Every structure is written in structure tokens, then in C-alpha cells.
Amino acid sequence: MIDYLLRFPDEAAALAALPALTIEGIEPGARLWDTSCVIPNVRAYRVNGTEAAEDGMGGTYEREVRDYLPGWYIIIARPERDPALEGEACVLIGDRETGAVLHTITTPEDLATLYLEPTFAGSSYPFGAPVTAPTD
């Protein structure tokens, strides 16, 4: 499976550019993302350290300090490369099965510090939100 990370100024611009990836909503004229192949509103960020935060029960814990990248992000899954998605909005193309990055607008060093949330299950990219086991 090939995944495309696209960046737009906002969701309205993405909807206008990608009408084929939407379905009819309940309300007349309303369009919704086809979540069988789309993850809308993906958060792209870098972690700039940690800070102490109150846990609401009198204690503290360390939480990440995130620097969110500007723009509105969407991930689109395709069974093979789709030249129609490889335009100006395309930030990254990845092969989900191998974890290979097929195209990116940044350097490998910069990509290594990038996190995306959420991503498709089964992704094995060198980026993306770290998966941590739940703690008791």
C-alpha cells in the first residue's frame, strides 16, 4: 500500500482539491472524507523536549513539548502510486509494507524527527508517533 501525506492551508482547501476522496454526508450537499482510504486532520509535529505537568491528583508527570507544523495534513492510501496525488500539496510518499520513503520534500535527518498522528495500522515508517505499551 502506498501512502501519501498531503499538506493544505486548511480542510476546505483539501476538500476542494480532493472531491473524489469524499462521500455524501447525511445533510444535503455535505461531503465527508472516505475514511476507508483517508485519514483527515493528521497532526505533524516535532518533539522539543519534555516538561512537568500536573496530573490532576496532586502529582506530576513528564509530557512532550510538541512543535506542530503549520498547515492541515491528510494521509491517503492507494494500492499503487497515483500520479494525480503527486502535485504541489504532496509532502511525502511512503510504501507502507516496506517502510520505504519514496518521495519527501525534506532531508532524511529532518524526516527522522517528524511525528505523524494518526497513521494507518501496519505502517513501519521511520517516522510517525511512537507506539508505547499501556502502563498499569
Side-chain angles (χ1 to χ4, degrees):
M1 190 64 64
I2 305 299
D3 294 333
Y4 289 82
L5 176 67
L6 305 179
R7 178 181 57 215
F8 293 93
D10 53 37
E11 185 175 17
L15 284 165
L18 304 168
L21 297 173
T22 64
I23 57 174
E24 187 69 34
I26 294 172
E27 296 186 23
R31 302 298 296 173
L32 304 171
W33 293 108
D34 179 357
T35 56
S36 70
C37 62
V38 171
I39 300 176
N41 202 26
V42 172
R43 294 169 306 281
Y45 63 93
R46 292 197 165 70
V47 176
N48 289 333
T50 60
E51 65 183 3
E54 294 184 20
D55 66 7
M57 297 184 293
T60 61
Y61 68 97
E62 290 292 310
R63 74 173 170 204
E64 295 176 337
V65 176
R66 295 178 175 186
D67 181 20
Y68 289 93
L69 279 62
W72 190 89
Y73 293 86
I74 185 170
I75 298 176
I76 301 165
R78 287 286 182 246
E80 55 192 34
R81 287 196 66 165
D82 184 347
L85 295 175
E86 298 183 21
E88 183 178 317
C90 186
V91 175
L92 187 138
I93 303 169
D95 182 329
R96 191 181 317 163
E97 282 94 33
T98 67
V101 175
L102 306 174
H103 165 78
T104 182
I105 64 169
T106 189
T107 65
E109 295 80 17
D110 191 46
L111 187 60
T113 65
L114 178 68
Y115 293 95
L116 302 174
E117 285 182 342
T119 60
F120 284 107
S123 300
S124 61
Y125 299 117
F127 57 88
V131 177
T132 57
T135 57
D136 295 312

